[in-house]
Amino acid sequence: MHKYIIMGVQGCGKGTQAKLLKEALDLVHISVGDIFRWHIQSHTKLGARIKRIMAEGQLVPDDDVEEVVRQRMEMHDWNYGFILDGFPRNLRQAAFFLESYDIDAVLLINVPDEVVRERILNRRLCPKCGVDYNLMFHRPAVANTCDVCGSELVSRADDTPAAVNARIQDFHTKTQPILELFRRKELVVVVDGTQPAEVVQQDLRRQLGQKVLKNASTESAIFAQ
Ligand code: AMP
């Protein structure tokens, strides 16, 4: 079983890396942001409460985050493990999670703020089939049109310059202190997220493999591909 948390400033590519790792290791990818976006799209009570907060790039209140994470974890569909994406975002959330679960590693994708700012502002999404594009390095064949279903592409509601700045600021002031906690437990693996996505993934898996070896586990073969 592999239990990971993936962290990094918004736009560092953690969603992409989480999906690749999920496929390789048969993990369940738990993205708290995706769960919240589902609530907004589905017009739930929670969705109505958090819509404006998310559009402004602010953090959703801890009570709501904890409830969503508790319910998701209690589904117990993570036989081979999980990769948590976008959670925990502050010390209270980290303490809440560690009360009930342990983790094997924290994967930190390092990308400078200026680079993520540019990446996020170029991010586009297909509202119908959910495919992600980037006007810098993954453009659609026809401008502003989804390659898969032909729908018009949109920006995420929280990908405005003001909201992006708020999220970058929150990462440094609220999320980074958690890293210190995990560093003390020797759980953190750091990769350079400015490299192409496949290279970042290789690097992640190589370092996780070394970590497994160090812990004298027999699971290292999984990473040796
Ligand atoms: P993400 O998809 O991880 O970029 O998250 C999108 C938005 O969802 C964030 O800007 C927050 O408004 C909200 N959100 C996601 N995860 C959390 C969390 N752990 N704590 C508070 N708010 C969150």
Side-chain angles (χ1 to χ4, degrees):
M1 157 118 50
H2 308 273
K3 292 175 280 181
Y4 300 133
I5 290 175
I6 192 158
M7 286 177 67
V9 68
Q10 282 76 11
C12 70
K14 58 183 160 36
T16 305
Q17 295 304 323
K19 280 178 196 142
L20 292 170
L21 203 61
K22 159 204 149 117
E23 273 154 31
L25 304 183
D26 219 352
L27 308 178
V28 173
H29 174 205
I30 301 178
S31 160
V32 175
D34 281 353
I35 298 175
F36 286 148
R37 279 184 284 278
W38 178 86
H39 277 276
I40 292 174
Q41 261 174 359
S42 310
H43 303 285
T44 66
K45 262 190 189 165
L46 173 62
R49 260 206 325 273
I50 64 176
K51 189 172 177 182
R52 193 177 51 82
I53 298 175
M54 275 184 70
E56 287 173 355
Q58 307 296 334
L59 291 179
V60 169
D62 289 333
D63 287 344
D64 291 323
V65 175
E66 289 170 9
E67 188 51 33
V68 156
V69 171
R70 189 193 337 266
Q71 282 178 10
R72 184 63 191 83
M73 294 302 292
E74 282 175 0
M75 286 171 76
H76 284 286
D77 55 347
W78 36 273
N79 294 342
Y80 298 104
F82 56 77
I83 180 154
L84 270 177
D85 168 359
F87 173 90
R89 286 262 230 290
N90 59 32
L91 281 167
R92 171 176 152 176
Q93 293 179 10
F96 159 81
F97 191 76
L98 295 174
E99 255 173 36
S100 312
Y101 303 96
D102 60 347
I103 51 157
D104 300 316
V106 174
L107 321 176
L108 173 65
I109 319 279
N110 234 346
V111 179
D113 291 356
E114 319 78 69
V115 178
V116 289
R117 200 173 274 121
E118 207 185 344
R119 276 189 192 175
I120 296 177
L121 295 176
N122 280 290
R123 196 149 76 167
R124 297 291 182 277
L125 176 75
C126 174
K128 201 162 169 205
C129 62
V131 175
D132 288 312
Y133 295 86
N134 192 293
L135 303 185
M136 289 156 68
F137 39 74
H138 175 209
R139 290 186 202 168
V142 177
N144 239 12
T145 308
C146 178
D147 291 346
V148 180
C149 72
S151 301
E152 190 178 342
L153 302 181
V154 295
S155 296
R156 254 170 61 169
D158 55 349
D159 281 353
T160 62
V164 171
N165 285 337
R167 276 142 72 204
I168 290 176
Q169 175 83 1
D170 272 345
F171 177 77
H172 292 299
T173 57
K174 297 180 182 154
T175 309
Q176 257 178 337
I178 314 175
L179 277 169
E180 292 314 312
L181 174 90
F182 289 131
R183 273 205 181 97
R184 284 199 293 275
K185 295 175 184 263
E186 297 194 15
L187 289 170
V188 183
V189 163
V190 186
V191 292
D192 172 5
T194 61
Q195 310 172 92
E198 319 78 66
V199 180
V200 177
Q201 180 66 197
Q202 273 167 15
D203 197 5
L204 261 183
R205 291 184 45 195
R206 184 182 51 77
Q207 291 201 51
L208 283 173
Q210 284 171 356
K211 203 165 172 40
V212 172
L213 280 177
K214 203 170 138 197
N215 295 342
S217 163
T218 51
E219 294 173 307
S220 57
I222 295 173
F223 296 98
Q225 304 157 21

